[in-house]
């Protein structure tokens, strides 16, 4: 999911010790009803309309319930009674809802979905994720301020039935609406909190398996307790989730080894190599790619394709993934990840299609060609010397990664001066969104297992396109795949391949690697399975 740009972070050991000092003995952490989990950073927001990152997404999944929910790779009905097939040539979904409750005992109704969806696309909300509604009737026009919000293609047919109308078929609709922007909202709670909604647990009304309690947005640890009002509460086997922000991997390893946490997530670098022999070690290839965005709005020279290609070819991704990341990343040629989507006719991995063979070279390490293209690009733009800053997170892993990138560019591109700016995760997000950067290390996780989840991010009008890359032919192909060719599997697949070919040759964003998530999970923890959108369904997790 929505994994907008995050990496492991550095956090002082003494701070972790203080946070955990009141957590009891090692034995308490073995309580079969309590699961202690590491988090790479704080929750930026619990407002489902405003969330853009995987940390918020996971905690929204823990505490909220939408129409459907992933359990591992399997899509299951949640508030919806069943997985619905569309009518009207793929453009209408009529969805009956279960009789479920909010945490305050009030019923979750069709109108709660209508209110939430309208709120997300409303330009006044300024949701960075409003674009994900594209294809739902009038969503694009509403986001652009050209239609009123009440014209959005969702309506309550009665208290427990909604109808969703699309401008054109969305082949991945049912997996799309799993994501946090499509969760219902309890209107009185949202309106009472105003702009502060989602920044503290007080006043929030939830409908998921757990309730977030005594939390404020700046907290480095938080607790979620079982929600007995949850419709499927009988299936929830844990009574409590305890999250601790662990930004230093070695600190996290110490906490794991002493049984203070049951699950240490997203280990990298030297620590990943150190623990790879643990029986509890696992490495999961995620539908997540890291890449560099170049600020093409701020700097004219970044609009030069040769300069972007040169930057890409100057990076030794094998050294990056093996030596710097400790094999927690794998080499990737395109911004669409491997092992995520497959040709509906042949079963071929999207990234292995022959269409892409001619452009994958632009993501390969070739310092000689990089220098040639660099010199040509510099001459074409009239630049003499270039000086810019790489923006990244303030984590130990991010700093090492960015230092490596700095060294690669400085070594292979003549006349270049590269500096680093490492800031906290939320600050980096804010700077990315506002365009306050030269070059930024970003990341994205699939919202649903389809190439367009990545391709949509780099269309000219995408709110996620922080680098402001623009190519009309690319835009047309992405649009075609989601409109005129939406019901034609083969044509749609080719549209996405052709769009990826353009994006890869253009190096609209410079792909760095695909994330392999390394974790340590205690042997008595069961059903901790990754889903296609990068999250975990903690409804079915339990401890033996």
């Amino acid at each position: 999911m929505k994994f907008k740009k995050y990496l492991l972070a550095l956090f002082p050991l003494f701070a972790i010790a203080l946070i955990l000092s009141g957590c009891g003995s090692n034995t308490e952490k073995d309580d079969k009803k309590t699961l202690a989990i590491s988090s790479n950073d704080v929750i930026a927001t619990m407002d489902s309309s405003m969330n853009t990152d995987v940390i918020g997404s996971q905690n929204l999944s823990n505490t909220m319930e939408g129409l459907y929910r992933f359990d591992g790779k399997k899509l299951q009905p949640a508030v919806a009674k069943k997985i619905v097939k569309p009518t009207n040539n793929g453009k209408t979904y009529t969805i009956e809802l279960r009789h479920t409750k909010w945490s305050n005992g009030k019923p979750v109704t069709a109108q709660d979905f209508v209110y939430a969806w309208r709120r997300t696309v409303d330009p006044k909300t300024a949701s960075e994720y409003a674009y994900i509604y594209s294809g739902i009737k009038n969503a694009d026009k509403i986001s652009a301020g050209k239609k009123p919000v009440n014209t959005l293609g969702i309506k309550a047919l009665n208290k427990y039935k909604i109808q969703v109308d699309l401008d054109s078929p969305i082949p991945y609709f049912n997996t799309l609406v799993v994501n946090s922007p499509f969760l219902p909202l309890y209107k009185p709670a949202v309106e009472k909190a105003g702009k502060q909604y989602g920044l503290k647990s007080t006043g929030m009304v939830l409908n998921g398996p757990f309730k977030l309690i005594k939390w404020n947005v700046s907290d480095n640890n938080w607790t979620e307790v079982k929600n007995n009002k949850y419709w499927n509460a009988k299936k929830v086997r844990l009574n409590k989730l305890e999250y601790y922000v662990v930004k230093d991997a070695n600190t996290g390893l110490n906490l794991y080894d002493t049984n203070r946490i049951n699950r240490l997530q997203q280990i990298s670098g030297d620590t990943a190599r150190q623990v790879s022999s643990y029986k509890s070690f696992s490495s999961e290839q995620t539908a997540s790619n890291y890449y560099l965005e170049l600020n093409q709005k701020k700097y004219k020279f970044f609009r030069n394709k040769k300069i972007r290609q040169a930057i890409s070819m100057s990076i030794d991704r094998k050294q990056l993934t093996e030596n710097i990341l400790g094999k927690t990343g794998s080499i990737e040629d395109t911004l669409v990840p491997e092992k995520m989507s497959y040709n509906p006719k042949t079963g071929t991995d999207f990234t292995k299609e022959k269409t892409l063979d001619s452009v994958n070279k632009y993501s390969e390490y070739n310092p000689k060609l990089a220098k040639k293209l660099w010199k040509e690009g510099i001459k074409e733009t009239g630049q003499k010397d270039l000086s810019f800053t790489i923006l990244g997170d303030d984590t130990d892993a991010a700093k090492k990664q960015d230092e490596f990138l700095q060294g690669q560019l400085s070594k292979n591109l003549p006349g270049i001066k590269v500096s680093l700016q490492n800031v906290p995760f939320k600050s980096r997000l804010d700077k990315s969104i506002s365009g306050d950067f030269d070059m930024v290390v970003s990341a994205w996780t699939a919202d649903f297992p389809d190439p367009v989840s990545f391709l949509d991010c780099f269309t000219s009008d995408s709110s996620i396109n922080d680098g402001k890359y623009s190519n009309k032919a690319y835009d047309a192909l992405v649009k075609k795949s989601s409109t005129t060719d939406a019901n034609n599997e083969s044509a749609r697949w080719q549209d996405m391949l052709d769009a990826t070919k353009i994006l890869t040759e253009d190096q609209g964003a410079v792909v760095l690697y695909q994330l392999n998530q390394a974790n340590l999970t205690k042997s008595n923890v069961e059903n901790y399975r990754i889903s296609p959108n990068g999250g975990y369904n903690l409804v079915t997790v339990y401890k033996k």
Side-chain angles (χ1 to χ4, degrees), residues 423-438:
V423 299
F425 166 71
K426 192 175 186 305
S427 296
R428 197 251 306 152
L429 279 184
D430 292 340
K431 283 178 174 291
S432 297
I433 294 167
S434 65
D436 183 19
F437 68 94
D438 302 340

Side-chain angles (χ1 to χ4, degrees), residues 158-418:
N158 59 44
K159 190 173 182 179
Y160 295 106
K161 184 184 288 188
I162 62 173
Q163 179 178 309
V164 180
D165 294 304
L166 311 179
D167 287 323
S168 56
I170 300 177
Y172 47 86
F173 177 82
N174 284 333
T175 56
L176 174 69
V177 297
V178 172
N179 296 298
S180 59
F182 297 96
L183 291 168
L185 286 168
Y186 187 67
K187 184 178 179 180
V190 176
E191 293 189 338
K192 183 177 180 180
K195 292 183 178 180
Q196 295 301 306
Y197 181 75
L199 300 183
K200 60 181 180 180
S201 57
T202 303
M204 292 192 72
V205 180
L206 310 164
N207 74 324
F210 299 92
K211 296 185 296 183
L212 181 63
I213 60 172
K214 299 178 182 179
W215 167 81
N216 289 290
V217 70
S218 60
D219 290 348
N220 285 296
N221 65 299
W222 58 91
T223 298
E224 294 163 8
V225 297
K226 184 174 179 178
N227 176 16
N228 290 323
K229 294 291 196 300
Y230 178 54
W231 73 272
N232 205 16
K234 291 181 180 179
K235 294 287 186 180
V236 181
R237 298 174 67 173
L238 295 170
N239 287 339
K240 186 187 295 185
L241 305 176
E242 294 178 346
Y243 280 90
Y244 301 101
V245 175
V246 180
K247 295 187 177 183
D248 175 62
N250 291 321
T251 299
L253 181 58
N254 179 60
L255 298 174
Y256 180 82
D257 284 340
T258 56
N259 294 321
R260 307 303 290 275
I261 57 176
N262 309 118
R263 164 91 172 177
L264 179 61
Q265 304 187 124
Q266 296 169 341
I267 311 164
S268 63
D270 295 336
T271 307
R273 285 190 291 271
Q274 178 185 343
V275 301
S276 60
S277 60
Y278 278 41
K279 289 184 179 180
S280 58
F281 178 83
S282 64
S283 181
E284 302 164 326
Q285 190 171 42
T286 68
S288 309
N289 273 347
Y290 280 76
Y291 50 89
L292 286 170
E293 287 188 274
L294 316 179
N295 196 331
Q296 297 183 44
K297 181 178 181 180
K298 184 177 180 181
Y299 294 109
K300 183 179 178 180
F301 55 79
F302 280 148
R303 296 176 213 158
N304 184 279
K305 183 163 68 173
K306 291 180 180 178
I307 284 178
R308 298 195 301 270
Q309 290 173 341
I311 289 172
S312 177
M313 293 182 182
S314 68
I315 300 168
D316 187 340
R317 291 166 178 81
K318 183 177 181 181
Q319 187 178 349
L320 172 62
T321 56
E322 293 187 2
N323 299 335
I324 307 302
L325 301 176
K327 297 184 179 180
T328 57
S330 53
I331 297 174
E332 182 66 293
D333 294 318
T334 71
L335 282 158
V336 176
E338 292 183 13
K339 298 180 181 180
M340 182 190 75
S341 47
Y342 302 87
N343 189 310
K345 300 294 185 183
T346 67
T348 304
D349 188 309
F350 183 87
T351 65
K352 305 302 180 185
E353 292 279 20
K354 291 183 179 180
T355 301
L356 302 178
D357 288 349
S358 62
V359 294
N360 287 341
K361 62 184 178 183
Y362 295 109
S363 301
E364 295 174 357
Y365 183 53
N366 191 335
K368 184 177 180 179
L369 182 55
K371 288 178 182 178
K372 179 178 181 295
L373 291 169
W374 179 258
K375 290 178 180 179
E376 291 175 359
I378 292 295
K379 185 176 181 180
E380 290 173 5
T381 58
Q383 298 289 323
K384 292 184 179 180
D385 297 308
L386 288 182
S387 176
F388 55 84
T389 299
I390 298 176
L391 174 66
D393 291 344
D394 65 346
T395 70
D396 183 53
K399 288 176 181 177
K400 289 179 180 177
Q401 172 187 264
D402 295 351
E403 287 168 1
F404 173 78
L405 295 173
Q406 178 188 38
Q408 290 281 281
L409 299 182
S410 300
K411 172 186 174 182
N412 294 316
L413 303 177
I416 193 173
K417 183 178 179 181
V418 183

